[in-house]
């Protein structure tokens, strides 16, 4: 289980760096400051959750079943939250109106909150 978690964390971390550099260099020419700030928010949250997954992989107090649940919820959260932010921030560059998928951003955020909540609840239940 830990290999899957670390691999996912590495992928999220790597792609957040790539997307951050892309935003800072290539998109700087075509997006407004507000759109770039929005794009950077997606990058930050993706990186935060890459680090969160690394913490999860190193944790010995949670079962593999709980870790798997947290991993799945975090993946869904990052894809829906950061992914939709990337699309919404670059909406002006496309012919498709990505604003119609804007409702998935808070759903992704909710998944991320649930992932953190599971960790909190499991640690509050532990008698260490």
């Amino acid at each position: 289980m830990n290999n899957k978690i670390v691999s996912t964390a590495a992928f999220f971390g790597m792609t957040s760096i790539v997307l951050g550099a892309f935003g800072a260099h290539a998109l700087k020419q075509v997006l407004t400051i507000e759109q770039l700030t929005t794009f950077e928010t997606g990058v930050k949250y993706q990186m935060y959750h890459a680090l969160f997954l690394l913490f999860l992989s190193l944790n010995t107090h949670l079962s593999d079943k709980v870790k798997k649940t947290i991993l799945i919820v975090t993946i869904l959260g990052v894809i829906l939250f950061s992914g939709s932010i990337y699309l919404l921030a670059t909406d002006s560059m496309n012919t498709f109106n990505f604003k119609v998928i804007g409702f998935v951003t808070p759903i992704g955020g909710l998944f991320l909150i649930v992932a953190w909540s599971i960790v909190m609840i499991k640690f509050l239940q532990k008698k260490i």
Side-chain angles (χ1 to χ4, degrees), residues 23 27 30-43 81-94 98-99 101-102 105:
L27 295 180
V30 294
L31 296 181
T32 66
I33 298 293
E34 184 179 309
Q35 289 169 316
L36 280 173
T37 301
T38 299
F39 192 88
E40 288 172 6
T41 298
V43 171
F81 184 81
S82 291
S84 65
I85 285 180
Y86 299 141
L87 294 173
L88 290 166
T90 58
D91 190 52
S92 63
M93 298 171 52
N94 302 296
F98 284 109
K99 290 180 181 161
I101 61 141
T105 307

Short mmCIF file of all heavy atoms in Angstrom, two decimals, residues 23 27 30-43 81-94 98-99 101-102 105:
data_model
loop_
_atom_site.label_atom_id
_atom_site.label_comp_id
_atom_site.label_asym_id
_atom_site.label_seq_id
_atom_site.Cartn_x
_atom_site.Cartn_y
_atom_site.Cartn_z
N GLY A 23 2.63 27.48 -15.69
CA GLY A 23 1.83 28.66 -15.37
C GLY A 23 2.68 29.91 -15.28
O GLY A 23 2.31 30.98 -15.78
N LEU A 27 1.92 30.42 -19.41
CA LEU A 27 0.59 31.02 -19.23
C LEU A 27 0.67 32.50 -18.85
O LEU A 27 -0.30 33.23 -19.00
CB LEU A 27 -0.21 30.24 -18.19
CG LEU A 27 -0.57 28.81 -18.57
CD1 LEU A 27 -1.36 28.15 -17.44
CD2 LEU A 27 -1.36 28.76 -19.87
N VAL A 30 -0.55 34.78 -21.52
CA VAL A 30 -1.91 34.73 -22.06
C VAL A 30 -3.03 34.85 -21.03
O VAL A 30 -4.18 35.03 -21.41
CB VAL A 30 -2.13 33.44 -22.90
CG1 VAL A 30 -1.26 33.45 -24.15
CG2 VAL A 30 -1.86 32.20 -22.07
N LEU A 31 -2.69 34.73 -19.74
CA LEU A 31 -3.72 34.81 -18.71
C LEU A 31 -3.60 36.12 -17.93
O LEU A 31 -2.53 36.70 -17.84
CB LEU A 31 -3.60 33.64 -17.73
CG LEU A 31 -3.83 32.23 -18.29
CD1 LEU A 31 -3.71 31.20 -17.18
CD2 LEU A 31 -5.17 32.10 -18.99
N THR A 32 -4.70 36.52 -17.35
CA THR A 32 -4.69 37.70 -16.49
C THR A 32 -4.04 37.32 -15.15
O THR A 32 -3.88 36.14 -14.83
CB THR A 32 -6.12 38.21 -16.22
OG1 THR A 32 -6.82 37.22 -15.44
CG2 THR A 32 -6.87 38.49 -17.52
N ILE A 33 -3.72 38.33 -14.35
CA ILE A 33 -3.15 38.09 -13.02
C ILE A 33 -4.12 37.26 -12.17
O ILE A 33 -3.71 36.32 -11.47
CB ILE A 33 -2.85 39.43 -12.30
CG1 ILE A 33 -1.81 40.24 -13.07
CG2 ILE A 33 -2.43 39.21 -10.86
CD1 ILE A 33 -0.43 39.62 -13.09
N GLU A 34 -5.40 37.58 -12.28
CA GLU A 34 -6.42 36.83 -11.52
C GLU A 34 -6.47 35.37 -11.95
O GLU A 34 -6.55 34.47 -11.11
CB GLU A 34 -7.79 37.48 -11.71
CG GLU A 34 -8.88 36.83 -10.89
CD GLU A 34 -10.23 37.51 -11.08
OE1 GLU A 34 -10.30 38.75 -10.95
OE2 GLU A 34 -11.20 36.78 -11.36
N GLN A 35 -6.41 35.12 -13.26
CA GLN A 35 -6.42 33.74 -13.75
C GLN A 35 -5.16 33.00 -13.32
O GLN A 35 -5.23 31.82 -12.94
CB GLN A 35 -6.54 33.73 -15.27
CG GLN A 35 -7.91 34.16 -15.78
CD GLN A 35 -7.91 34.40 -17.29
OE1 GLN A 35 -6.99 35.01 -17.84
NE2 GLN A 35 -8.96 33.91 -17.93
N LEU A 36 -4.01 33.66 -13.36
CA LEU A 36 -2.77 33.03 -12.90
C LEU A 36 -2.82 32.71 -11.42
O LEU A 36 -2.36 31.64 -10.99
CB LEU A 36 -1.57 33.94 -13.19
CG LEU A 36 -1.04 33.92 -14.61
CD1 LEU A 36 0.03 35.00 -14.80
CD2 LEU A 36 -0.49 32.56 -14.98
N THR A 37 -3.38 33.60 -10.63
CA THR A 37 -3.52 33.36 -9.19
C THR A 37 -4.42 32.15 -8.94
O THR A 37 -4.13 31.32 -8.08
CB THR A 37 -4.08 34.61 -8.49
OG1 THR A 37 -3.20 35.71 -8.73
CG2 THR A 37 -4.23 34.40 -7.00
N THR A 38 -5.49 32.05 -9.70
CA THR A 38 -6.39 30.90 -9.58
C THR A 38 -5.66 29.63 -9.96
O THR A 38 -5.76 28.61 -9.24
CB THR A 38 -7.62 31.11 -10.50
OG1 THR A 38 -8.31 32.28 -10.08
CG2 THR A 38 -8.56 29.92 -10.45
N PHE A 39 -4.91 29.65 -11.05
CA PHE A 39 -4.14 28.49 -11.49
C PHE A 39 -3.15 28.07 -10.40
O PHE A 39 -3.02 26.89 -10.09
CB PHE A 39 -3.40 28.83 -12.80
CG PHE A 39 -2.81 27.65 -13.50
CD1 PHE A 39 -3.55 26.91 -14.40
CD2 PHE A 39 -1.50 27.26 -13.26
CE1 PHE A 39 -3.00 25.81 -15.06
CE2 PHE A 39 -0.94 26.17 -13.90
CZ PHE A 39 -1.69 25.45 -14.80
N GLU A 40 -2.47 29.05 -9.81
CA GLU A 40 -1.50 28.77 -8.74
C GLU A 40 -2.17 28.14 -7.52
O GLU A 40 -1.54 27.34 -6.82
CB GLU A 40 -0.77 30.04 -8.34
CG GLU A 40 0.21 30.52 -9.38
CD GLU A 40 0.80 31.90 -9.06
OE1 GLU A 40 0.53 32.45 -7.96
OE2 GLU A 40 1.51 32.43 -9.92
N THR A 41 -3.42 28.48 -7.26
CA THR A 41 -4.14 27.87 -6.15
C THR A 41 -4.26 26.36 -6.38
O THR A 41 -4.05 25.56 -5.46
CB THR A 41 -5.53 28.50 -5.98
OG1 THR A 41 -5.36 29.89 -5.67
CG2 THR A 41 -6.34 27.82 -4.88
N GLY A 42 -4.59 25.97 -7.60
CA GLY A 42 -4.66 24.55 -7.93
C GLY A 42 -3.32 23.86 -7.74
O GLY A 42 -3.25 22.76 -7.18
N VAL A 43 -2.25 24.53 -8.16
CA VAL A 43 -0.90 23.97 -8.02
C VAL A 43 -0.56 23.79 -6.53
O VAL A 43 -0.04 22.74 -6.13
CB VAL A 43 0.16 24.87 -8.71
CG1 VAL A 43 1.57 24.42 -8.38
CG2 VAL A 43 -0.07 24.88 -10.22
N PHE A 81 -10.72 19.01 -7.45
CA PHE A 81 -10.45 20.37 -6.99
C PHE A 81 -9.40 21.05 -7.88
O PHE A 81 -9.70 22.01 -8.58
CB PHE A 81 -9.99 20.36 -5.52
CG PHE A 81 -9.79 21.75 -4.97
CD1 PHE A 81 -10.87 22.48 -4.52
CD2 PHE A 81 -8.52 22.31 -4.90
CE1 PHE A 81 -10.70 23.77 -4.02
CE2 PHE A 81 -8.34 23.59 -4.40
CZ PHE A 81 -9.43 24.32 -3.96
N SER A 82 -8.18 20.53 -7.86
CA SER A 82 -7.11 21.18 -8.63
C SER A 82 -7.39 21.08 -10.13
O SER A 82 -7.19 22.05 -10.86
CB SER A 82 -5.75 20.56 -8.30
OG SER A 82 -5.36 20.89 -6.99
N GLY A 83 -7.85 19.92 -10.58
CA GLY A 83 -8.12 19.75 -12.01
C GLY A 83 -9.14 20.74 -12.53
O GLY A 83 -8.96 21.35 -13.59
N SER A 84 -10.22 20.93 -11.78
CA SER A 84 -11.24 21.88 -12.23
C SER A 84 -10.72 23.32 -12.16
O SER A 84 -11.04 24.14 -13.02
CB SER A 84 -12.52 21.74 -11.42
OG SER A 84 -12.31 22.08 -10.07
N ILE A 85 -9.88 23.61 -11.18
CA ILE A 85 -9.29 24.95 -11.10
C ILE A 85 -8.40 25.23 -12.30
O ILE A 85 -8.43 26.32 -12.88
CB ILE A 85 -8.54 25.14 -9.76
CG1 ILE A 85 -9.55 25.32 -8.64
CG2 ILE A 85 -7.58 26.33 -9.83
CD1 ILE A 85 -8.95 25.52 -7.27
N TYR A 86 -7.60 24.24 -12.70
CA TYR A 86 -6.76 24.41 -13.90
C TYR A 86 -7.62 24.73 -15.12
O TYR A 86 -7.30 25.62 -15.91
CB TYR A 86 -5.91 23.16 -14.18
CG TYR A 86 -4.95 22.79 -13.07
CD1 TYR A 86 -4.74 21.45 -12.75
CD2 TYR A 86 -4.26 23.75 -12.35
CE1 TYR A 86 -3.86 21.09 -11.74
CE2 TYR A 86 -3.39 23.40 -11.33
CZ TYR A 86 -3.19 22.07 -11.04
OH TYR A 86 -2.32 21.71 -10.04
N LEU A 87 -8.68 23.98 -15.27
CA LEU A 87 -9.56 24.18 -16.43
C LEU A 87 -10.28 25.53 -16.36
O LEU A 87 -10.39 26.23 -17.36
CB LEU A 87 -10.56 23.04 -16.54
CG LEU A 87 -9.97 21.67 -16.84
CD1 LEU A 87 -11.04 20.58 -16.77
CD2 LEU A 87 -9.27 21.66 -18.19
N LEU A 88 -10.76 25.88 -15.18
CA LEU A 88 -11.46 27.16 -15.03
C LEU A 88 -10.53 28.34 -15.25
O LEU A 88 -10.92 29.34 -15.85
CB LEU A 88 -12.13 27.24 -13.66
CG LEU A 88 -13.32 26.31 -13.45
CD1 LEU A 88 -13.69 26.22 -11.97
CD2 LEU A 88 -14.51 26.76 -14.28
N ALA A 89 -9.29 28.25 -14.76
CA ALA A 89 -8.34 29.35 -14.90
C ALA A 89 -7.95 29.58 -16.35
O ALA A 89 -7.66 30.70 -16.75
CB ALA A 89 -7.09 29.08 -14.06
N THR A 90 -7.93 28.51 -17.12
CA THR A 90 -7.53 28.61 -18.54
C THR A 90 -8.73 28.61 -19.47
O THR A 90 -8.58 28.43 -20.68
CB THR A 90 -6.57 27.45 -18.91
OG1 THR A 90 -7.24 26.20 -18.67
CG2 THR A 90 -5.28 27.51 -18.11
N ASP A 91 -9.89 28.84 -18.93
CA ASP A 91 -11.14 28.81 -19.71
C ASP A 91 -11.11 29.75 -20.91
O ASP A 91 -11.63 29.42 -21.98
CB ASP A 91 -12.32 29.16 -18.80
CG ASP A 91 -13.66 28.92 -19.46
OD1 ASP A 91 -13.87 27.81 -19.98
OD2 ASP A 91 -14.49 29.84 -19.45
N SER A 92 -10.47 30.90 -20.76
CA SER A 92 -10.44 31.88 -21.85
C SER A 92 -9.61 31.40 -23.04
O SER A 92 -9.71 31.96 -24.13
CB SER A 92 -9.88 33.21 -21.34
OG SER A 92 -8.53 33.05 -20.92
N MET A 93 -8.83 30.35 -22.86
CA MET A 93 -7.98 29.83 -23.94
C MET A 93 -8.68 28.75 -24.76
O MET A 93 -8.13 28.27 -25.74
CB MET A 93 -6.69 29.25 -23.35
CG MET A 93 -5.83 30.25 -22.63
SD MET A 93 -4.47 29.49 -21.73
CE MET A 93 -3.70 28.51 -23.00
N ASN A 94 -9.88 28.36 -24.36
CA ASN A 94 -10.58 27.24 -25.00
C ASN A 94 -11.90 27.69 -25.61
O ASN A 94 -12.46 28.69 -25.22
CB ASN A 94 -10.87 26.16 -23.95
CG ASN A 94 -9.62 25.66 -23.28
OD1 ASN A 94 -8.77 25.08 -23.93
ND2 ASN A 94 -9.49 25.91 -21.99
N PHE A 98 -15.63 25.91 -19.68
CA PHE A 98 -15.40 25.06 -18.52
C PHE A 98 -16.14 25.54 -17.28
O PHE A 98 -16.15 24.85 -16.26
CB PHE A 98 -13.90 24.93 -18.23
CG PHE A 98 -13.20 24.00 -19.17
CD1 PHE A 98 -12.34 24.50 -20.12
CD2 PHE A 98 -13.42 22.64 -19.11
CE1 PHE A 98 -11.69 23.65 -21.01
CE2 PHE A 98 -12.78 21.78 -19.99
CZ PHE A 98 -11.91 22.28 -20.94
N LYS A 99 -16.76 26.70 -17.34
CA LYS A 99 -17.51 27.19 -16.19
C LYS A 99 -18.69 26.26 -15.86
O LYS A 99 -19.16 26.25 -14.73
CB LYS A 99 -17.98 28.62 -16.43
CG LYS A 99 -16.82 29.59 -16.41
CD LYS A 99 -17.24 31.00 -16.63
CE LYS A 99 -15.97 31.86 -16.61
NZ LYS A 99 -16.13 33.13 -17.20
N ILE A 101 -18.49 23.17 -15.50
CA ILE A 101 -18.02 22.13 -14.58
C ILE A 101 -17.55 22.72 -13.25
O ILE A 101 -17.01 22.01 -12.41
CB ILE A 101 -16.89 21.28 -15.20
CG1 ILE A 101 -15.68 22.15 -15.52
CG2 ILE A 101 -17.35 20.51 -16.40
CD1 ILE A 101 -14.37 21.48 -15.24
N GLY A 102 -17.77 24.00 -13.05
CA GLY A 102 -17.34 24.68 -11.84
C GLY A 102 -17.90 24.08 -10.56
O GLY A 102 -17.28 24.19 -9.50
N THR A 105 -15.55 21.76 -8.30
CA THR A 105 -14.47 22.29 -7.45
C THR A 105 -14.80 22.12 -5.97
O THR A 105 -13.99 21.55 -5.23
CB THR A 105 -14.17 23.76 -7.80
OG1 THR A 105 -13.94 23.88 -9.20
CG2 THR A 105 -12.95 24.26 -7.04
#
